[in-house]
Amino acid sequence: MREIAQESALFGRRSFQDHATYAARSLVGMVLDYFSHTEYHPSPHQVEKDRSVFFGLIRCREWMVIPAGIIIQFCYGSVYAWSIFNAPINSLLEPNPDKGGAEITFYIALGVLGFTGALFGPWIESSHPRKSGTIGILVFYSGHLTTALALFVRMISLLYFGYGFVAGFGLGIGYVSTIEAVSKWWPKARGAAAGCAVMGFGGGALAFSYINKLLIQHTSLPSTFFILGSVNFVVMMFCLQFIAPPPPGHNLDGIQMVTDKDRVRLRGEESRMEEVNKSTNIHSLAASLPAVKMPLAEALKSRDFWLLYIAFMSNIMFCLVVLSNLPSMINRLFGRESEFPRDPPIPAYIAVSIEGGFNMFGRVMVGLISDNIGRKATLLILLLTQIIILICVPITVNNGSFWWFLVLIWLATICYGGGFGMIPAFLSDMFGINNMSSCHGIILTGWSIASICGGLAFTSSINAHIKHGGKPYDTHIYFVNFMWMLALVILGFFCCLFVRSSIRDRLFPALPGQIIRMRVFGRVFRVLRTYDTGHSASGECASSGTEKSNMCCLRFGKSCRHLHFEYLDKEEEQAAWEEYLMLRAVQSRLMHN
């Protein structure tokens, strides 16, 4: 009987393990299947229906999505003016306003925003923009109503849930879906289109700083959130009726191998193609290469995505922390809580509004610049600018230079907004338009991590300093925070250097022994390791057949190992790229034949 019982128990454990393994595999399969379908496939009836907007009364035009997207993002951007609520909410909910936790609500909302975008990115990509947009608006409105209730009953935990989690959830869906809808209508000016859309988000801080101030002065805090939520709901639902997806074929299905700016030159190469097809030259073959379709899983596994992730997070960290703390920083360093109490030259809420204006301006301007000089070069300029700013900000604080402090903060805000304006187009260029929403949602988790970790680290360090007897105006605690932000931005700059931003950089043929390759100031730099057992006594490196004036060679070891540092000029790079395209075109033609 004991053996039978042991066998039964063993069988039960094995059966449970088998079921658990099967369930885990099924769950993994469902997740992989969910993240593998990132394309919107409308029915012919839906395509015909989308030719008209606003309940079928107006013919859809591509320019319509721009103002509609700006206004929707403008309403979502009201979250940027949250710092205006910190002091009133802390006074309402806490006996000691200095120990209040209203600031944490902002960090929770942005944290939930990013992870919501990452989780629902494939669904947003494969759904109609009005469907995902409606859900985002409804949830965002519910968050405002829950916040009004939390302030009415004076429960800070309900405040975190209402505005932090619920409104942040709706914000994540609505933010990504609106940008995706606008960007798809403008494939040749995607940076400017995305910049215009997110310009509204930055403009929300500019306008709602005044609106929130007026509402707080003339009504109660619960009524303020009820009015804000209701008005935003009506305006966003109205504008959403003017948004529709572009018709099929409007965007290239994949990543184009040969663009108008990257034409393949013949260079007398036609003779090589005679073995395949005498009537076809290299140019026509290369131009007929199919677009490269990159699955979402491959995009997310690439090193370029995660290097860009770090660079993006580094670009937004500094201003993200300042956005929610600028009023308190002005008050403690230059205002009534400073070492020499006085009124600052301008009220804090005006400084926040002006910061919102620079945020809005940066999103459009940087998007336009990136369309002309390239996404990677633009992001490197933004990061380098912030490195200089973070070096100078402690100097202005130490000298008590209020206006120089504000000017530097506003310049950094341009870089901050510019990163958001450019990143959707950057991702679309690198991984294809059908992966944009999913990649954008995932990269926005960097926004979440920056808001939660950076914001809480900054706020906690300041509060701990005050709790242990420090003064609010002590500058050294701010300097410590500025220094770790500076280190992060420097890290982001170097990560951006190694991002292979174009399909050409990612597919550029690697030579045997290649250690590293990167593009520096528009030219390819690579390091090669070679071995030469029959080197000459003169100590010169053996040549591979052609003399290269832009090659530096180092020899080390008994086996004469060489390190070649090459900085290719445009002609050499173009020749190597043409050869690769020719081989790829031949392979494509042979496969089809």
Side-chain angles (χ1 to χ4, degrees), residues 27 58 96 143 164 166 194 227 252 288 316 346 356 367 392 395 457 461 497 512 519 527-528 549:
L27 180 61
I58 302 174
N96 185 358
V166 179
I227 295 171
L252 179 69
S288 65
I316 66 174
I346 60 173
C392 296
I395 299 174
S461 63
L497 279 176
R519 186 173 295 275
V527 180
L528 309 174
S549 59

Side-chain angles (χ1 to χ4, degrees), residues 181-235:
V182 173
S183 298
K184 285 187 174 181
W185 276 100
W186 300 85
K188 294 185 178 180
R190 197 163 281 133
C196 287
V198 298
M199 176 188 69
F201 200 87
L206 178 64
F208 281 98
S209 296
Y210 288 100
I211 295 171
N212 294 348
K213 195 80 173 177
L214 290 174
L215 287 174
I216 291 171
Q217 291 174 354
H218 293 88
T219 186
S220 64
L221 278 173
S223 300
T224 295
F225 280 93
F226 176 78
I227 295 171
L228 279 177
S230 300
V231 173
N232 285 342
F233 174 78
V234 173
V235 172

Side-chain angles (χ1 to χ4, degrees), residues 302-525:
S302 69
R303 76 174 192 202
D304 302 291
F305 178 83
W306 295 107
L307 288 172
L308 183 60
Y309 184 99
I310 296 173
F312 171 74
M313 184 173 64
S314 303
N315 183 68
I316 66 174
M317 177 68 78
F318 172 54
C319 271
L320 189 59
V321 172
V322 171
L323 272 172
S324 59
N325 292 280
L326 186 58
S328 63
M329 290 175 66
I330 291 175
N331 193 37
R332 290 172 176 175
L333 297 175
F334 305 99
R336 298 192 173 215
E337 294 185 26
S338 62
E339 186 176 3
F340 305 101
R342 60 195 182 278
D343 289 328
I346 60 173
Y349 75 93
I350 295 179
V352 171
S353 298
I354 297 174
E355 184 182 32
F358 279 99
N359 189 353
M360 181 171 59
F361 172 71
R363 292 170 186 244
V364 179
M365 182 193 72
V366 173
L368 286 169
I369 292 174
S370 71
D371 283 335
N372 291 281
I373 71 171
R375 321 291 183 199
K376 179 177 176 178
T378 305
L379 185 55
L380 285 172
I381 292 172
L382 299 183
L383 291 165
L384 183 60
T385 303
Q386 288 201 72
I387 290 173
I388 298 172
I389 289 172
L390 276 164
I391 293 173
C392 296
V393 163
I395 299 174
T396 62
V397 171
N398 192 53
N399 294 335
S401 304
F402 174 78
W403 286 110
W404 278 113
F405 170 78
L406 273 189
V407 167
L408 292 173
I409 295 298
W410 291 337
L411 287 176
T413 305
I414 293 177
C415 301
Y416 171 81
F420 282 103
M422 181 186 60
I423 200 66
F426 206 154
L427 294 169
S428 178
D429 292 347
M430 289 181 63
F431 306 114
I433 188 65
N434 291 323
N435 290 325
M436 189 187 73
S437 291
S438 302
C439 291
H440 191 200
I442 292 173
I443 212 167
L444 287 180
T445 58
W447 191 6
S448 303
I449 294 172
S451 63
I452 294 174
C453 298
L456 292 179
F458 183 87
T459 304
S460 300
S461 63
I462 300 295
N463 291 340
H465 175 73
I466 295 174
K467 182 179 179 181
H468 289 86
K471 301 298 181 182
Y473 51 78
D474 289 341
T475 57
H476 72 273
I477 188 63
Y478 292 96
F479 294 169
V480 171
N481 283 288
F482 292 150
M483 288 304 102
W484 68 256
M485 292 180 199
L486 174 61
L488 181 63
V489 177
I490 293 174
L491 173 64
F493 179 83
F494 282 101
C495 286
C496 188
L497 279 176
F498 289 94
V499 172
R500 299 171 297 179
S501 57
S502 67
I503 191 69
R504 177 169 180 159
D505 286 338
R506 295 199 293 277
L507 296 181
F508 195 82
L511 294 182
Q514 179 173 292
I515 300 175
I516 191 172
R517 183 185 71 235
M518 61 186 295
R519 186 173 295 275
V520 181
F521 300 114
R523 292 172 60 182
V524 173
F525 171 79

Side-chain angles (χ1 to χ4, degrees), residues 163 244 469 482 498 533 556:
Y163 202 91
F482 292 150
F498 289 94
T533 57
F556 57 95

Side-chain angles (χ1 to χ4, degrees), residues 66-82:
I66 296 289
I70 289 174
I71 296 174
I72 292 173
Q73 290 288 314
F74 176 85
C75 295
Y76 281 129
S78 59
V79 68
Y80 267 151
W82 177 262

